[in-house]
Amino acid sequence: MATELHALSVPAFLRGFKAMSAILEKGRAFADEQGIPHAELLGARLYEDMAPLTSQIQRASDSAKFAGARLAGIDAPSMPDTEDGFEALQNRIAKTVSFLESIAPGAIDGREDAEVQLKTPSRSFEFSGRNYLLGFALPNFYFHLTTAYAILRHKGVPLGKMDYLGGMG
């Protein structure tokens, strides 16, 4: 029986992006209310050797779009990491969501044993489709979503668990 990789991936990414978009909006509103320059929040980090908020959103986007593309065997849209404001980050989220919504379930389902190759500048990793999704793509996506949430929470943005979860249902 084929694994329904689409059902395991795309809805999870879409729900995460819905939460991420709302979290970012709360961050923007908080900055405006408190008189905090947007650049201060967007450049915030949990620790000096960690990537800032903007990069967390970009990496979450990359994780999701590349997962969809690699699993479907198609090219991911190019999204240079040039976002420098809340609106630009929201646009990136919207473009990523649009791409994910364009992937038909049949393009991914049944590809649990397909070879997925992930190349980095220093090495290459080979996965089965299932192992790539469950062992790399989803955990990586949630790492960056969690870190974005944590950065904003650390900076005082009034967020709670339900903001992270994106509501129920």
Side-chain angles (χ1 to χ4, degrees):
M1 177 179 200
T3 303
E4 294 182 352
L5 292 179
H6 189 278
L8 294 174
S9 59
V10 173
F13 292 137
L14 296 179
R15 184 175 182 176
F17 283 123
K18 180 179 176 186
M20 186 178 294
S21 179
I23 288 166
L24 275 179
E25 179 52 30
K26 283 190 173 190
R28 186 206 55 76
F30 177 79
D32 290 346
E33 290 165 8
Q34 300 298 315
I36 300 170
H38 287 187
E40 184 178 323
L41 278 187
L42 295 168
R45 304 165 189 263
L46 289 178
Y47 195 74
E48 62 192 36
D49 69 348
M50 291 182 75
L53 179 62
T54 53
S55 293
Q56 300 303 329
I57 305 304
Q58 292 160 345
R59 297 299 70 77
S61 167
D62 287 347
S63 295
K65 75 176 183 171
F66 286 127
R70 287 178 178 129
L71 291 171
I74 60 176
D75 291 330
S78 175
M79 295 182 194
D81 296 334
T82 57
E83 296 83 12
D84 60 358
F86 285 103
E87 184 176 345
L89 289 170
Q90 293 285 12
N91 288 337
R92 175 142 179 174
I93 290 170
K95 283 194 260 183
T96 307
V97 165
S98 180
F99 173 67
L100 292 170
E101 290 175 337
S102 76
I103 301 172
I108 294 176
D109 290 348
R111 293 186 40 86
E112 63 272 9
D113 294 322
E115 183 181 313
V116 174
Q117 190 173 64
L118 173 65
K119 293 181 181 182
T120 69
S122 61
R123 63 187 286 204
S124 180
F125 301 89
E126 280 81 32
F127 301 92
S128 68
R130 178 190 301 105
N131 290 343
Y132 169 70
L133 176 63
L134 299 176
F136 182 83
L138 283 169
N140 195 49
F141 174 77
Y142 283 116
F143 172 85
H144 293 292
L145 173 59
T146 301
T147 303
Y149 170 92
I151 288 170
L152 289 172
R153 187 71 185 102
H154 177 71
K155 296 302 276 182
V157 178
L159 298 170
K161 188 176 191 176
M162 292 308 291
D163 293 302
Y164 175 83
L165 293 175
M168 301 302 289

